[in-house]
Structures are given as structure tokens and as C-alpha cells.
Amino acid sequence: MRAQPQRIAVVGGGIIGTAVARELALRFEDATVTLFEKESHLAAHQTGHNSGVVHAGLYYEPGSLKARLCRSGVEKIIRYTAENGIPYEECGKLVVAQDTDEVDRLEAIFARAQANGVPHVKLLDRNEMREVEPGVRGVLALHSPHTAIIDYVALTESLGRDLEAAGGLIRYDSEVARLDTLSSEVRVRLALPGAKGSSVTEDAGVFDLVVTCAGLQSDRLAVASGLEQDPRIVPFYGDYFVARGEAAEAVRGLIYPVPDPAYPFLGVHLTRSIDGSLLLGPNAFLSLGREKYERKVGPIGGLDLSDLGRTLGYKGFWKFASQNMKAAAREARTALSPQAFIAEAQKFVPELDASAVVPGPRGVRAQAMNPDGSLVDDFVITSRGRLTQVRNAPSPGATSSLAIAEYVVDRAVESLR
């Protein structure tokens, strides 16, 4: 019989880390669960800088971990939001083919969506798609009526309250610098305030079980803890533009392009937000810093020399870059020109009022990359002894968060002796 852990730590207060900590506190009622978050609040990074879409599971390889956890995660979010009064709106989504070259790819997505059990998906012709979105233009569309929108920050904060109500602790302003894996426990070492990159750390105690959900810093924390350096995180920023009021009414739900296998990123799309505004974006361009969200310092944003040096010193990045020159050129246009950015959205909704569109927030994506330059598409969760790490949780990570939490805790419990 496995011993029950009494001291549990989770690193990272994004939606996945907070969901994992909550799941641990609910599953092990006699244990003390501590969530370490380096910022002064939850959801400070990827969770608080995304479009708020609850994905239905259209694109993912049938049977993959991503596909399974996405569908399970949607069902769990629906129940959770209903029980906790968190706004959740099934506004629906159209994936729109602009020309006949995209039709075959769209039909393949439709087949995947059906295989993944996405409910009530249909292919719509020109007239049918305009019944859903009067302003849209295209030759064929896939309609997913149950794709939804939510405020993921509000959801994360609610999960944090659940954690505390179950007896868990949240330690804010506590950056974990290193984890020392011992025979039957893990020692957590915190970075000293203002001592970025220093080898001097503060002992935060030993734990029977530790789970890390470090997002943009997942590879760095792994290396500092003596674990594998790959996959590496290469940060890509994504800008949004925003329309509010009458201009936002040009779109009822979500309008997406058909993914092009020649490009590693999706391209600009249109997304209604839970507050009624309309988001355009995001694009995707190499970020000069893992946590640089500023736009006021220029179109490319803020600079962190340590982050940039790590990216430029990674052979996988250069292989990726050499394989994706066309994609880089496409994304550079939208990164440097607001007019080009808005024009990408107007391909789908020509009547969108460009004069009412203003710069919005910026997010930074933790893109995991292999040494051969390929992008890591699925979730990556690894374990060593009493330490379990979420190394990669790309979209639909937020959608899948409650299901990922159960899966990760199951994996972590297996490590107990």
C-alpha cells in the first residue's frame, strides 16, 4: 500500500498549476498542499494573456492525449462554471475556407472533429455560414456551435479559493529556483528577492510530492533541478487588436482560418470576449523576452538579454527558423504593420470597421521545441521519483486544465512508494 503524502508542493500559479494544487488538496484531505507562485497574484502570465476560448477539440489527432483531455476538460469546465457562477458563453465557432485550395483541409478537420466526439459539428456552404455570421465571407465553413468563451483569470482565482478552502496554502512572491530530488522527498529552493540568476537560494522545506507547472520557465526549472533540458521553451509573442461597442457587433462568435500545414502558427482570427469586446489576433513572432508584454517600446516589444541569448544559442531554434522562412515573413508583416494585421481579419469580415480597432493586449506563448527544430505539439508530462513536471501544455491547455489536473495527479501518485 502506498504511503499517503503529507507535504505536497505545486510550482506555478497559472490555471494548470492552480487546478493541480486544488485536485491534490481535494484528493488528500490530510495533506498540506502549498502552491508557490512567483508573482503577487494568480494567472499572471499565459493564463492571463490569452483569448479566453474554450476549445471543442476540432483539430487534434484522434486518440492523442491532447484530444482526450480537451474533450474531458470541456465537460468539467461546463459543470464547474455552472456550479460556481462563472460566466461561460457557447458563442460558437466557424472555421472558414477562403478558397477551394482550403476545402480539402477543412474537410479533414471535420473528420477529425467527428472522430474526437465534438458535438453537432457541421459543414456549411456560403449561404448557411452567413446565417451564423452575417458578415463572414468564404466558400465553406465548419461550424462548431458549442465552442465557448470564458474569463480564465476568474476561473483560476476560483480554483485558488477552492484550494484555500480545502486547507491549502498559496505562497505569492515566491519564485522556485531549484528542486533537489532526494530518495523519498523533494527539497524546494526559492530564489532570493532581487537575486535573479543567483546560485544563492532560500530553503522552503522538503515535500513528499512536488508537481511543477512552470509554463514559460519550465525548461529552466528542469535544468536547474538536474533534469533533461529538452524540450526547450522558445517564446513567441502574440498581439491582439480590440474593437468595442458597435464595431464589435460585426462578429457574433468566433471566426478562424483553416490551418495551413506550411505554417507553424494559425494566423489572425476573430474572437468575441466574455466582456463583449472583439479580439483580432493573435499573430506569432519571436519574443525578445519570455515575460515581456510591453508594446510601448516598439512593435517587437521589450528585451531580456538572458532570454534572447538562450533562444539564439539553441540549435533547434535555428533549424526551426531555416525551415519556416515563409512563415516568418508572413508574421513579420502583421508584427510591423497594424494595417496588415487588421487586413488579415478583414479577409473574413470585410465590413469590419478598421477605424474602430485599437491595439490590445499581448501574450507570450511557451512554445516547446525539439533539437531538430520541430515544435512539440502534444502535452509533455514527465516524472522522476517524487517530482512530476508539466513540461509542455500548449493550447488547449487552459481548456483542458481540470482534466490535466486529474491526469497529472494520477501520474504523480504513481511515483509514491
Side-chain angles (χ1 to χ4, degrees):
M1 183 175 180
R2 293 188 177 100
Q4 297 295 301
Q6 298 298 309
R7 304 160 298 174
I8 304 174
V10 177
V11 180
I15 191 168
I16 294 177
T18 308
V20 167
R22 169 185 176 270
E23 177 67 22
L24 285 161
L26 294 176
R27 194 174 301 194
F28 298 105
E29 296 180 358
D30 296 330
T32 298
V33 179
T34 303
L35 175 61
F36 291 94
E37 167 51 46
K38 70 176 183 174
E39 308 296 352
S40 60
H41 57 281
L42 299 175
H45 292 289
Q46 291 184 104
T47 303
H49 295 83
N50 65 31
S51 59
V53 176
V54 181
H55 294 282
L58 302 179
Y59 308 106
Y60 318 124
E61 183 68 31
S64 66
L65 184 60
K66 183 184 280 193
R68 290 186 284 115
L69 294 183
C70 180
R71 286 306 311 154
S72 176
V74 171
E75 294 167 2
K76 293 178 185 301
I77 282 182
I78 290 173
R79 288 196 298 271
Y80 186 89
T81 54
E83 293 169 358
N84 292 275
I86 297 173
Y88 179 94
E89 181 184 345
E90 287 189 345
C91 59
K93 171 178 175 177
L94 287 180
V95 182
V96 180
Q98 290 284 301
D99 54 48
T100 54
D101 291 339
E102 294 182 340
V103 166
D104 288 345
R105 298 204 303 270
L106 187 62
E107 290 175 341
I109 293 171
F110 177 57
R112 277 193 172 189
Q114 290 181 309
N116 287 333
V118 181
H120 305 124
V121 288
K122 292 191 295 186
L123 290 175
L124 307 180
D125 63 22
R126 295 173 188 264
N127 295 325
E128 291 169 326
M129 74 175 77
R130 295 190 68 180
E131 292 176 7
V132 176
E133 289 283 0
V136 76
R137 296 294 184 274
V139 298
L140 187 71
L142 185 157
H143 184 215
S144 171
H146 299 294
T147 297
I149 52 176
I150 194 174
D151 182 343
Y152 280 119
V153 173
L155 176 57
T156 305
E157 291 171 345
S158 180
L159 297 174
R161 291 191 292 271
D162 292 346
L163 167 64
E164 292 178 319
L169 307 172
I170 302 177
R171 287 191 56 174
Y172 295 105
D173 302 308
S174 299
E175 181 178 0
V176 175
R178 191 178 81 237
L179 300 159
D180 297 331
T181 305
L182 309 174
S183 59
S184 60
E185 57 192 16
V186 179
R187 183 175 298 277
V188 175
R189 309 287 306 190
L190 299 182
L192 295 177
K196 183 176 181 181
S198 172
S199 60
V200 180
T201 58
E202 173 189 347
D203 187 354
V206 293
F207 296 85
D208 305 314
L209 188 65
V210 174
V211 179
T212 71
C213 306
L216 285 156
Q217 306 296 339
S218 63
D219 59 336
R220 280 182 167 166
L221 182 57
V223 170
S225 304
L227 303 177
E228 297 81 4
Q229 62 182 352
D230 292 315
R232 303 277 188 95
I233 296 299
V234 175
F236 286 84
Y237 76 75
D239 281 334
Y240 293 93
F241 281 71
V242 182
R244 295 186 174 86
E246 185 177 344
E249 300 305 317
V251 176
R252 294 175 175 175
L254 316 176
I255 300 176
Y256 277 54
V258 177
D260 187 339
Y263 296 109
F265 302 114
L266 181 59
V268 173
H269 41 283
L270 300 98
T271 306
R272 291 286 297 197
S273 296
I274 205 74
D275 64 2
S277 62
L278 177 65
L279 291 177
L280 281 59
N283 56 356
F285 202 73
L286 179 66
S287 179
L288 305 185
R290 296 195 184 199
E291 298 173 4
K292 294 296 183 181
Y293 305 106
E294 307 93 337
R295 299 181 68 171
K296 60 185 178 182
V297 294
I300 303 301
L303 169 65
D304 185 308
L305 289 174
S306 175
D307 289 346
L308 183 60
R310 186 172 177 84
T311 296
L312 298 181
Y314 180 43
K315 64 179 182 180
F317 167 72
W318 292 107
K319 290 183 177 180
F320 168 83
S322 67
Q323 296 161 8
N324 291 280
M325 297 302 292
K326 289 184 178 180
R330 182 186 77 164
E331 297 298 331
R333 288 180 58 252
T334 60
L336 300 173
S337 169
Q339 293 77 21
F341 191 112
I342 296 169
E344 287 294 309
Q346 287 177 319
K347 291 179 181 178
F348 299 93
V349 184
E351 296 176 3
L352 178 68
D353 183 2
S355 67
V357 176
V358 298
R362 167 173 289 182
V364 180
R365 175 185 316 180
Q367 180 62 64
M369 190 176 292
N370 292 314
D372 64 0
S374 62
L375 303 184
V376 183
D377 186 55
D378 210 347
F379 301 135
V380 177
I381 299 162
T382 62
S383 295
R384 178 180 293 183
R386 300 296 184 97
L387 173 62
T388 294
Q389 295 192 306
V390 179
R391 293 292 301 264
N392 189 47
S395 179
T399 299
S400 309
S401 54
L402 295 177
I404 291 175
E406 291 187 358
Y407 180 85
V408 168
V409 172
D410 288 343
R411 286 281 302 269
V413 168
E414 290 176 3
S415 69
L416 298 175
R417 298 289 187 267

